Structure formats: C-alpha cells, structure tokens
C-alpha cells in the first residue's frame, strides 16, 4: 500500500534492503544495551542476578524473535507489529501496539543520545576538560541521524550495518584480550563475585533492566515493506540477530563483572568503556570508546527508522491524521513522520534522567510483547499452517507464546518493585489515549480498506 507524496501522488517505499541490512537494523538497535543500561540490573540484585536476568530475558526475546519471524514474513508491511494487530485482532489493539512501538523506539533513541553526550563528557574529563556541556552533542546526534533517515533507507541502514559490525567486534576483542590473550589476565571473578545480596527477590528485580540486553530486536519487522525478499530476509536477519545478541550479552557480563565491583558496576554510565579503562590497555580503551559511540549512534539511527515507520503506517491507515502518511517523492522515506518525532526525542533526552527514559522504553516494549502471544495464537487459529504461505514457521507452538506471556508477567512485577509510580502513570497514559481513539479518531478509519493481504476468509468466519 502506497503513501501519498506532495500533490496527492501515490509514492511507495523503496524495496532495497537485504538480510544483512535486517541483521544490522535489529542488532544495531539493541547492541547499545551491551554498552550501557544492562548494568543497572547488577545494582538491582548483584552480578549473579544480572546473569540470570540476561538468560531469562534471552529466552523471552528468543520467543519474540521466533513469533515475529513467522507473522512478519507473512504480513510483510511497514508498521511491523502494528500491521499484524490490524489484520489479526482489530483497530483498538492495532492503535495501542503502534503507540507502544513509537514510544519504545523514541525513548530508546533519547537514551542513546543521553549516553552519547555522557561519553563525550567522560572523554573530555579524561583529557582535562571538565564540565563539558552535553546538550549540544545530544542535539547534534539526533538531528544528524534524523537527516540521514530523511535522505534514504539504504544509506541509513548501510551506515548502521558498518558501525554495528565494528561495535560487536569491539566486544569480542575486549573478551579475547582480557580472558585469553593477556598472560596476566586482569579478570578477578573470584575476588569480585558475591552471592545474591538481595536474595531471589533481587533476581526478579534484575529482570527489569535485563530486558535492555535485547530490547529492540523486534524492530526488524518495521523494514518489512522495504526488503527485497521479506519471506527470506526477515526470519534470517531476525534470528541471526538474536543469536548475535545472546553471545554479546553473555561476554559483556563476563568481562564487566570480572573487572568491576558490583556496587560500582550497578550504577556505571558506560560499563564496557569503564571495563576497557580498567584493563590497563590504551588500545582497548580507544577501541571500546569508539565502540560505545558507534553503538549509541547505530541504535538511535535504527530507532528513528522504526518509530517513523510505525507512525507513518498509522497515518496512512487514518489512525492518525493522514498528513503523516506521506512519502518523499525523491528519497522514498516517510519524511513527515521522521521530522515530527525529532522534538519528542529531544524533550526526553534533554529533560529526563537516563534510568527513567530507559524504563519508559522498556515498559512500552513490554506492553507490545504481552500482545504477541494473543496475536500469534489467533493467527494460527484463523489461518492454520496449511492455509497460507509462510516464510517461516516457529516450532513448538503454542509453547513459545505461553513462555513469553509468563516472562512478561514476571517482568511487569520487577518493574513495579522499583518504578511502580511510573508503571501506573504509563498505563494511565495509554488508557487515556485509547479512549481518545475509540471515541474520536476511530470514525476516520476505513476498516475494510485495511485488509491488504490476499488471504482466504479466516477459519470459522
């Protein structure tokens, strides 16, 4: 389905991406979670709790990746999970899922910009320039990446692919150098590791920030309408991405807890860069400093791409004013959606603490994951495996959906333990906006025009 260019002409998004771009988009958005944010789970429950949270969150996101790969390779359109909900469940669910996506990625973009500014300030302090104003660097990063997204998706995601590959290699280099190649390894796990300081409740609490290891891998779905072969590229890029992140997350935990006391690690701003500094190697320090910068830029870049696609898709379907459903006639990008979301990211990046911005992103993502089990169960029930062609069929259905729902419930409780007031405030916000859609905006939605997939009538209808 095309968007509208200026003057009312129909202009479609360009199908120019391959599997490597999907891998770069998914891993690029998430890899910053290894460079910052995950370590707050150490502060919640200690080093061992953070490892358990890493693995349980890895199971949660493996379920997300498998479910997404099946449904998105079949519903290959911009908007990802929003478009899935539109076809499978209905308008109100689709509207909410679209908002979850937009705010999850916009808040993640703001968190990346905050970390980028903090890194610049840290490096400046190391060179004797204390008290550097971080705000110009935050604004510059967001504006540059918005401009890059405005100019075209191929250049945008090729840029993400290159810098993501560098950031991932930097993590591998840090692990190999400190754990394998150094004759006198600086890792001191026996001295620094402790038991669970807050017991098993700390393990549950650690699940809150444990999601940060992987949050955003589902963003690969947002590029479905710009991929040359969705049935092949989306499952391959998404599943390869979650495998990459499982490796990176475990290596990150292993190195960081072997170099820093858990009390410090639990509140560090850039833990991998700090780990490189404590290794005693100037080369590693430079490598991980650049890796941190590249990871934040790649993630913010992918977030702008994904949030704008969800906003664009909602405008195109009249869930939002159709002014947002415009495609640039030259660059073939949803340029109005890109521009509109920039000031929202800047407001949070310049005016909110990092842990609260991360929590806003995590909660929005978590609400989206909670919808997925219902979505895939209804999808299999309405269109069984042998009725429509799928690019990928996730195994052991419905076990992944049940596991995902249970882990989401545990994580909601973990967030409530530390950020209960923010959880209630966010749920209230989404309820109010849902009421606005139901009583005002729904009248503009052309329900029959939304079903763009050439599927048979659902089973039982």
């Amino acid at each position: 389905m095309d968007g509208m260019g200026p003057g009312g002409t129909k202009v479609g998004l360009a199908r120019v991406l391959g599997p490597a771009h999907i891998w770069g988009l998914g891993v690029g958005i998430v890899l910053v979670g290894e460079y910052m944010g995950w370590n707050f789970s150490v502060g919640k429950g200690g080093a061992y709790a953070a490892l358990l949270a890493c693995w349980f969150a890895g199971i949660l996101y493996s379920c997300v990746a498998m479910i997404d790969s099946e449904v998105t390779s079949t519903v290959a359109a911009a908007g990802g999970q929003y478009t899935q909900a539109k076809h499978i469940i209905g308008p109100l669910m689709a509207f909410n899922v679209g908002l979850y996506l937009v705010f999850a990625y916009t808040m993640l973009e703001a968190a990346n910009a905050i970390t980028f500014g903090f890194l610049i300030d840290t490096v400046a302090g190391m060179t004797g320039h204390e008290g550097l104003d971080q705000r110009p660097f935050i604004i510059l990063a967001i504006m540059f990446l918005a401009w890059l997204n405005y100019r075209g998706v191929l250049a945008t995601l090729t840029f993400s692919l290159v810098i993501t590959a560098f950031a991932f290699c930097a993590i591998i280099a840090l692990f190999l150098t400190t754990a394998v190649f150094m004759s006198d390894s600086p890792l001191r796990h026996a001295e620094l590791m402790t038991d669970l300081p807050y017991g098993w409740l700390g393990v549950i609490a650690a699940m809150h920030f444990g999601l940060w290891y992987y949050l955003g891998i589902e963003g690969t779905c947002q590029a479905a309408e710009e991929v040359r072969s969705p049935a092949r590229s989306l499952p391959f890029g998404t599943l390869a991405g979650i495998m990459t992140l499982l490796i990176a997350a475990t290596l990150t935990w292993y190195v960081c807890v072997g170099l820093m006391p858990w009390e410090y690690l639990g509140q560090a701003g850039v833990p991998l860069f700090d780990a490189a500094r404590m290794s005693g190697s100037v080369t590693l320090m430079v490598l991980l400093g650049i890796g941190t910068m590249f990871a934040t830029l790649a993630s913010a870049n992918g977030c702008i791409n994904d949030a704008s696609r969800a906003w664009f898709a909602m405008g195109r379907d009249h869930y939002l004013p159709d002014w947002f459903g415009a495609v640039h006639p030259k660059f073939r990008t949803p340029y109005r959606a890109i521009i509109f979301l920039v000031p929202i990211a800047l407001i949070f990046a310049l005016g909110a603490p990092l842990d609260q911005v991360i929590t806003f992103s995590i909660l929005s993502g978590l609400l989206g994951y909670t919808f997925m089990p219902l979505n895939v169960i209804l999808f299999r029930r309405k269109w069984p495996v042998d009725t429509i062609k799928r690019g990928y069929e996730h195994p052991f259905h419905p076990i992944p959906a049940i596991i995902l729902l249970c882990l989401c419930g545990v994580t909601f409780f973990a967030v409530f333990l530390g950020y209960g007031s923010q959880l209630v405030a966010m749920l209230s916000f989404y309820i109010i906006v849902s009421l606005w859609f139901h009583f005002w905006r729904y009248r503009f939605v052309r329900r029959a025009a939304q079903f763009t997939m050439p599927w048979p009538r659902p089973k039982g209808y």
Side-chain angles (χ1 to χ4, degrees):
M1 185 174 171
D2 297 329
M4 299 302 293
T9 58
K10 286 190 175 182
V11 182
L13 300 175
R15 289 193 178 274
V16 292
L17 305 178
H21 294 101
I22 299 303
W23 176 90
L25 174 61
V27 177
I29 289 176
V30 187
L31 196 63
V32 71
E34 273 63 47
Y35 280 89
M36 67 88 176
W38 70 270
N39 53 299
F40 294 150
S41 64
V42 178
K44 289 287 185 182
Y48 283 119
L51 179 62
L52 291 172
C54 169
W55 287 343
F56 279 117
I59 294 171
L60 185 154
Y61 278 93
S62 295
C63 295
V64 167
M66 289 192 296
I67 290 170
D68 260 352
S69 292
E70 173 171 331
V71 185
T72 308
S73 65
T74 314
V75 189
Q81 292 83 4
Y82 153 77
T83 307
Q84 298 172 21
K86 180 183 70 174
H87 281 281
I88 298 168
I89 300 179
L92 184 59
M93 176 64 82
F95 175 77
N96 278 279
V97 169
L99 286 186
Y100 302 155
L101 292 168
V102 170
F103 280 105
Y105 294 129
T106 304
M107 294 305 105
L108 177 51
E109 176 191 348
N112 290 324
I114 293 170
T115 304
F116 179 77
F118 179 79
L119 176 66
I120 297 295
D121 186 27
T122 301
V123 174
M126 292 169 59
T127 57
H129 298 84
E130 299 285 349
L132 188 70
D133 189 354
Q134 300 177 21
R135 290 174 296 180
F137 298 97
I138 291 173
I139 296 170
L140 182 63
I142 291 177
M143 295 297 291
F144 167 72
L145 294 174
W147 171 82
L148 190 62
N149 275 268
Y150 184 98
R151 297 279 296 182
V153 69
L154 182 60
T156 298
L157 295 191
T158 300
F159 172 74
S160 279
L161 174 62
V162 173
I163 62 177
T164 297
F166 181 94
F168 177 70
C169 289
I171 295 175
I172 299 295
L174 178 64
F175 168 75
L176 291 177
T177 304
T178 55
V180 180
F181 295 138
M182 280 189 174
S183 55
D184 182 20
S185 173
L187 300 179
R188 298 291 182 266
H189 290 95
E191 301 169 22
L192 296 175
M193 297 290 286
T194 62
D195 292 329
L196 300 173
Y198 306 123
W200 286 99
L201 187 63
V203 176
I204 296 175
M207 274 296 289
H208 175 184
F209 291 105
L211 262 61
W212 204 245
Y213 280 112
Y214 314 99
L215 188 134
I217 185 62
E218 71 280 3
T220 54
C221 301
Q222 301 300 317
E225 206 167 310
E226 295 161 282
V227 176
R228 289 189 295 269
S229 176
R232 179 178 67 93
S233 298
L234 291 170
F236 180 86
T238 303
L239 295 174
I242 191 64
M243 294 176 196
T244 303
L245 293 168
L246 287 165
I247 295 169
T250 304
L251 295 184
T252 296
W253 176 90
Y254 181 81
V255 173
C256 287
V257 301
L259 289 171
M260 289 174 277
W262 73 271
E263 297 91 342
Y264 172 81
L265 180 59
Q267 50 84 44
V270 279
L272 273 175
F273 181 59
D274 287 343
R277 292 168 65 186
M278 297 190 71
S279 72
S281 169
V282 176
T283 302
L284 281 178
M285 185 180 70
V286 173
L287 184 66
L288 270 296
I290 297 172
T292 303
M293 181 178 67
F294 279 3
T296 56
L297 292 176
S299 181
N301 194 40
C303 287
I304 294 172
N305 179 89
D306 286 355
S308 63
R309 266 59 182 180
W311 199 259
F312 156 79
M314 293 171 74
R316 188 172 61 177
D317 292 331
H318 306 286
Y319 283 62
L320 296 171
D322 56 5
W323 185 83
F324 292 112
V327 176
H328 197 285
K330 178 180 179 183
F331 302 125
R332 308 281 290 279
T333 56
Y335 66 108
R336 289 176 182 166
I338 292 169
I339 295 170
F340 177 79
L341 294 173
V342 166
I344 299 175
L346 286 172
I347 288 169
F348 282 90
L350 296 172
L354 178 60
D355 63 332
Q356 291 188 19
V357 174
I358 289 176
T359 299
F360 197 161
S361 180
I362 286 174
L363 280 172
S364 297
L366 194 58
L367 287 166
Y369 308 147
T370 307
F371 130 84
M372 286 183 185
L374 173 64
N375 185 55
V376 75
I377 288 171
L378 286 177
F379 181 57
R380 283 286 185 102
R381 184 176 298 170
K382 290 182 177 181
W383 294 281
V385 171
D386 57 348
T387 59
I388 57 175
K389 184 178 180 181
R390 289 160 161 83
Y392 170 80
E393 297 173 12
H394 79 279
F396 309 119
H397 178 77
I399 294 175
I402 295 169
I403 292 173
L404 176 56
L405 191 61
C406 292
L407 289 174
C408 284
V410 171
T411 310
F412 273 119
F413 179 65
V415 175
F416 178 77
L417 290 175
Y419 294 80
S421 58
Q422 191 170 349
L423 173 61
V424 172
M426 279 192 59
L427 290 175
S428 300
F429 164 75
Y430 282 120
I431 289 170
I432 292 170
V433 178
S434 296
L435 292 173
W436 169 83
F437 175 78
H438 177 74
F439 288 107
W440 171 253
R441 190 67 209 176
Y442 184 72
R443 72 186 73 177
F444 299 104
V445 175
R446 294 198 293 267
R447 185 84 171 100
Q450 292 176 212
F451 297 102
T452 56
M453 302 305 299
W455 292 346
R457 181 178 292 273
K459 185 178 180 181
Y461 285 74

